[in-house]
């Protein structure tokens, strides 16, 4: 069974064809990084305009790369929530049009559940029940996953998402956008113990996160407490300074993500851990989560690095399971931010 997936929840326009939930026949992502770079973050209006221009060529490319005509698709799966409302509507409208024109079922996919499904594209099924960490530019959330289609939210960030903190710190350090990969690269030559940064464990009992404090601590370390926007823009740092701050910041974020996720497994009695979302591509995070999971006897399943960032293969893959469970949507389904 071949599912056409469409994803436009944030700043990537993506389409993919996946067979039987696991065989990726095509996976096309049109990244908007170049459009948002000079703003240091995603500008929703710019994202929406680019989605409108990109969505049909990207869907066509996904069919071409899979060497299939649209009539060969068995269903159309699309991200309907959560995300930027204008951005979601563009992918959803394209998917509704395709579903109606092709007379194929429409499947509504939750973006966070699609990121969790990334683990099933690793080549082996995760051990369940698992605690699933979705860590991206828009989200840092923990779920208790009891089944491929059953996820209960047990924690979330109370302020910035981890990826957002990476992007903002990269802005301060002038490392460019998106910040995550740039910080990871810069941190390679740095000393992760060079700068003492806070870890927001918050109340021991909570599985929620907070990342705005560490972001502000980096800013204060670089420029003091009263830096103007102009001073932040004009500041210059040595490569050694940048490497040490990047490594220390990355370490602080990784510490919290790893410890909270493993604590969540202990608290819920989960035997597995799943990780997905853009920040889940970070190799230090992947390694440290692996070490900690092993030490605690938890079975870790990581989303393959190339499927951590937003893409439609995770949407089409999860769409297959929703389809076989009979969970189809109809043309009245709405986008939810
Ligand atoms: O999943 P994603 O593509 O979009 C959202 O759903 O938000 O995640 C994008 C986020 C950005 O904040 C980016 O800086 C971060 O993922 N990211 C990383 C890495 N690669 C991407 N963060 C840390 N290390 C990375 N290697
Ligand atoms: Zn995402």
């Amino acid at each position: 069974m071949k599912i056409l997936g469409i994803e436009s929840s944030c700043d990537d326009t993506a389409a993919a064809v996946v067979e039987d939930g696991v065989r990726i026949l095509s996976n096309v992502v049109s990244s908007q990084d170049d459009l948002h770079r000079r703003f240091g973050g995603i500008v929703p209006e710019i994202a929406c305009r680019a989605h409108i221009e990109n969505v049909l060529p990207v869907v066509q490319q996904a069919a071409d790369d899979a060497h299939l005509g649209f009539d060969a698709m068995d269903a159309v799966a699309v991200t309907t929530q959560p995300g930027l409302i204008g951005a979601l509507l563009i992918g959803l409208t394209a998917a509704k049009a395709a579903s109606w024109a092709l007379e194929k079922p429409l499947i509504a996919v939750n973006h966070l559940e699609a990121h969790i499904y990334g683990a099933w594209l690793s080549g082996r099924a995760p051990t369940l029940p698992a605690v699933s960490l979705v860590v991206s530019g828009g989200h840092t959330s923990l779920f208790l996953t009891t089944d491929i289609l059953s996820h209960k939210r047990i924690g979330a960030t109370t302020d910035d998402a981890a990826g957002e903190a990476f992007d903002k710190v990269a802005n301060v350090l002038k490392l460019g956008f998106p910040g995550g990969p740039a910080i990871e690269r810069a941190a390679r030559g740095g000393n992760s113990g060079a700068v003492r940064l806070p870890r927001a464990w918050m109340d021991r009992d909570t599985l929620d996160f907070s990342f705005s404090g560490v972001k502000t601590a980096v800013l204060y370390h670089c420029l003091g407490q009263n830096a103007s926007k102009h001073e932040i823009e004009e500041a210059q740092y040595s490569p050694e300074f940048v490497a040490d701050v990047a490594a220390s910041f990355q370490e602080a974020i990784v510490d919290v993500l790893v410890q909270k996720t493993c604590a969540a497994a202990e608290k819920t009695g989960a035997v597995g851990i799943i990780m997905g979302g853009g920040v889940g591509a970070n190799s230090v995070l992947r390694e440290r989560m692996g070490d900690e999971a092993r030490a605690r006897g938890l079975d870790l399943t990581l989303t393959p690095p190339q499927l951590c960032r937003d893409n439609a293969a995770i949407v089409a893959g999860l769409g297959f399971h929703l389809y076989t469970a009979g969970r189809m949507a109809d043309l009245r389904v709405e986008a939810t931010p």
Side-chain angles (χ1 to χ4, degrees):
M1 181 166 294
K2 298 176 192 73
I3 311 283
L4 171 66
I6 300 176
E7 150 67 39
S8 68
S9 66
C10 191
D11 63 330
D12 294 303
T13 322
V17 181
V18 175
E19 191 172 21
D20 297 339
V22 284
R23 251 186 318 285
I24 299 173
L25 304 183
S26 65
N27 189 16
V28 181
V29 181
S30 171
S31 160
Q32 300 180 8
D33 288 349
D34 291 343
L35 296 176
H36 300 286
R37 185 162 287 124
R38 72 190 177 98
F39 303 100
I42 294 154
V43 183
E45 181 63 22
I46 293 175
C48 293
R49 286 168 190 246
H51 282 312
I52 290 171
E53 285 174 17
N54 294 337
V55 68
L56 295 181
V58 163
V59 168
Q60 183 66 56
Q61 191 66 48
D64 291 350
D65 287 359
H67 306 292
L68 293 169
F70 287 109
D71 51 351
M73 311 297 171
D74 293 291
V76 183
V78 61
T79 308
T80 57
Q81 60 164 321
L84 302 171
I85 186 68
L88 287 164
L89 279 171
I90 294 154
L92 178 56
T93 305
K96 283 182 179 178
S99 162
W100 182 74
L102 300 169
E103 297 180 27
K104 298 291 161 72
L106 182 69
I107 300 158
V109 173
N110 176 299
H111 182 65
L112 302 183
E113 293 179 2
H115 273 307
I116 296 172
Y117 185 74
W120 271 265
L121 292 172
S122 66
R124 72 183 186 98
T127 307
L128 301 178
V131 166
S132 299
L133 171 66
V134 178
V135 59
S136 70
H139 305 275
T140 303
S141 302
L142 288 169
F143 294 86
L144 180 62
T145 297
T146 47
D147 173 84
I148 206 163
L149 298 179
S150 307
H151 315 278
K152 180 176 164 234
R153 203 170 86 158
I154 54 174
T157 183
T158 53
D159 41 53
D160 290 355
E164 196 180 350
F166 268 96
D167 294 336
K168 287 177 178 168
V169 164
N171 230 351
V172 170
L173 296 176
K174 309 190 184 301
L175 288 169
F177 178 83
I183 293 214
E184 182 175 352
R185 268 193 306 277
R188 279 190 201 124
N191 169 8
S192 61
V195 188
R196 278 188 51 192
L197 294 170
R199 272 85 170 144
W201 305 115
M202 305 191 294
D203 184 330
R204 283 271 158 202
D205 270 348
T206 176
L207 295 175
D208 290 336
F209 299 92
S210 166
F211 293 110
S212 68
V214 62
K215 171 199 73 183
T216 307
V218 169
L219 178 64
Y220 288 178
H221 176 78
C222 293
L223 291 161
Q225 295 202 11
N226 298 311
S228 65
K229 199 163 173 265
H230 181 71
E231 283 170 308
I232 296 172
E233 278 164 11
E234 295 302 309
Q236 290 188 3
Y237 310 106
S238 72
E240 296 76 25
F241 178 87
V242 170
D244 283 349
V245 175
S248 303
F249 166 75
Q250 181 173 257
E251 186 79 4
I253 300 273
V254 166
D255 271 352
V256 174
L257 291 173
V258 169
Q259 292 304 330
K260 283 240 177 197
T261 304
C262 290
E266 219 140 83
K267 195 168 173 175
T268 56
V271 291
I273 291 179
I274 286 170
M275 185 164 73
V279 183
N282 184 284
S283 51
V284 175
L285 175 59
R286 295 170 78 85
E287 206 178 300
R288 287 275 304 284
M289 193 69 87
D291 293 344
E292 190 65 27
R294 211 170 305 114
R296 296 183 188 229
L298 298 163
D299 185 42
L300 172 67
T301 313
L302 295 166
T303 299
Q306 70 279 12
L307 296 176
C308 281
R309 274 201 70 169
D310 287 348
N311 66 84
I314 54 177
V315 176
L318 180 56
F320 167 77
H321 293 276
L322 289 163
Y323 183 99
T324 50
R327 284 170 52 180
M328 267 67 94
D330 68 36
L331 290 175
R332 285 166 300 183
V333 66
E334 290 182 6
T336 312

